[in-house]
Amino acid sequence: MRKSMAILLTAAMSASLLAGCGSSSQSSSSAPAEKTTADSSSSSKENADAAPEEGADASYTIGIGQFAEHGSLDNCREGFIQGLAEAGIEEGTNLTILYSNAQADGGTASQIANTFAGKDVDLMCGIATPMAQAQYSLAMKTDIPVIFTAVTDPVAAELANADGTPVGEITGTSDKLPIEQQLQMIREILPDAKNIGIMYTTSEVNSESAIAEYKELAPKYGFEIIDSGISSSADIPLAADTLIGKVDCITNLTDNTVVASLPVILSKASAKNIPVFGSEIEQVKIGCLAAMGLDYIELGKQTGQMAAKVLKGEAKASEMNYETIKEAAFYGNTEVAENLGITLPESLASSAAEMFDTIAQ
């Protein structure tokens, strides 16, 4: 059951309030089993209904909803749990985690949010824009706070006001891409390139926002952006074939549907000797040539620390503006470069946060 704010703020009343308070039973989601997966690391709740001992610290139950299954979002989740632990809220000690993955399905995301709200969790974490939107649409009718991460444009997603202030009991972190630094990097690696291809999901507002910024900045570096919108993963093979025939290279966004199908795009691009640039470290590991990207573990940690403040009653979500990680780093893959007949400039390689010499399977 949901702990009242009195448990968090009034030490003198905590023992009596906690004595009869039990936690909801763990469930990955009420969503269909084929669309939802439960994290094997989520803690068992078989003993969760036992009341804490008198004087014990408060314990929490949170629902983590992840929109799709791919490396960057997985890293966000891992970092989020680490951030909570660093703040003294640790799974297996005073934290129970309910976790579900929507497998890039909007309807399933809504079902997951509904399940978490029905279990009256202490806080929901929404990983990626569609999940955060689904959670907030449910949470705004309750008193459950939402902390999001990997939301590229919280304002466009209507999760924050134009000045960065929360629209309600919701806040978190943005993974806004360092687009100008990415364009600078592509120009340095491919001095003769003219056209950059970008594939994106038309229903993801974060992708539309990034496309607009790419188109605004591309002429400054002598590029033209050629974009291809898709509505689902089923559209990707044909869209990739069409796009590859029109461009000198492809750059990825943090578009959830596209990233989940990145191996298909990489295979088709490689067959035509077209470089593909990533937006973060995991994409470079699996076959993108390079990226000026973010560290999603660190982004998750930053989000977990924000969530800890809310859980402990140190601040309300509505009192904290959303935050952005500003430090981007260069990541490169020398095996991909060799396969493409490209030499990564020493100016980039020497300052890389990490270089890979194999393509992860």
Side-chain angles (χ1 to χ4, degrees), residues 175-183 279 292-294 326 328:
D175 62 344
K176 186 179 185 303
L177 296 173
I179 290 174
E180 185 152 16
Q181 292 169 272
Q182 182 87 344
L183 288 167
S279 56
M292 288 298 296
L294 306 176
K326 297 179 180 178

Side-chain angles (χ1 to χ4, degrees), residues 36-93:
T36 308
T37 59
D39 189 347
S40 60
S41 68
S42 294
S43 58
S44 170
K45 294 196 65 184
E46 59 186 51
N47 297 320
D49 289 330
E53 296 178 5
E54 186 174 345
D57 291 335
S59 59
Y60 312 94
T61 298
I62 64 174
I64 300 178
Q66 185 171 315
F67 184 64
E69 190 169 357
H70 58 74
S72 57
L73 300 189
D74 293 342
N75 284 350
C76 267
R77 186 179 77 249
E78 180 182 338
F80 179 75
I81 295 170
Q82 289 179 23
L84 285 169
E86 289 174 2
I89 300 176
E90 189 169 2
E91 190 175 13
T93 302

Side-chain angles (χ1 to χ4, degrees), residues 332-347:
N333 192 310
T334 56
E335 181 176 349
V336 176
E338 183 178 349
N339 292 343
L340 293 168
I342 293 173
T343 300
L344 293 174
E346 180 61 25
S347 58

Side-chain angles (χ1 to χ4, degrees), residues 6 35 50 65 67 136-137 169 177 197 222 228 257 265 305 307 317 337 356 359:
K35 292 184 179 178
F67 184 64
Y136 186 56
S137 69
E169 291 303 327
L177 296 173
S228 178
T257 304
I265 299 169
Q305 290 162 3
F356 303 97
I359 299 172

Side-chain angles (χ1 to χ4, degrees), residues 52 113 116 128 133 151 193-194 225 228 234 240 242 267 286 289 292 308 340 355:
F116 290 162
Q133 290 173 317
V151 173
K194 296 179 180 178
I225 301 298
S228 178
T242 302
S267 177
I286 67 170
L289 174 60
M292 288 298 296
L340 293 168
M355 296 289 290

Side-chain angles (χ1 to χ4, degrees), residues 200-269:
Y200 72 103
T201 308
T202 54
S203 61
E204 290 201 26
V205 293
N206 55 307
S207 296
E208 292 180 349
S209 174
I211 288 282
E213 187 174 354
Y214 261 112
K215 289 184 174 180
E216 179 184 354
L217 293 173
K220 180 178 177 180
Y221 298 93
F223 292 121
E224 179 183 353
I225 301 298
I226 298 177
D227 60 88
S228 178
I230 56 113
S231 59
S232 72
S233 58
D235 300 332
I236 287 178
L238 179 59
D241 286 335
T242 302
L243 190 63
I244 287 167
K246 299 177 180 178
V247 301
D248 300 302
C249 66
I250 292 173
T251 191
N252 278 322
L253 308 178
T254 50
D255 185 292
N256 296 291
T257 304
V258 174
V259 173
S261 297
L262 185 54
V264 174
I265 299 169
L266 289 169
S267 177
K268 289 179 174 293

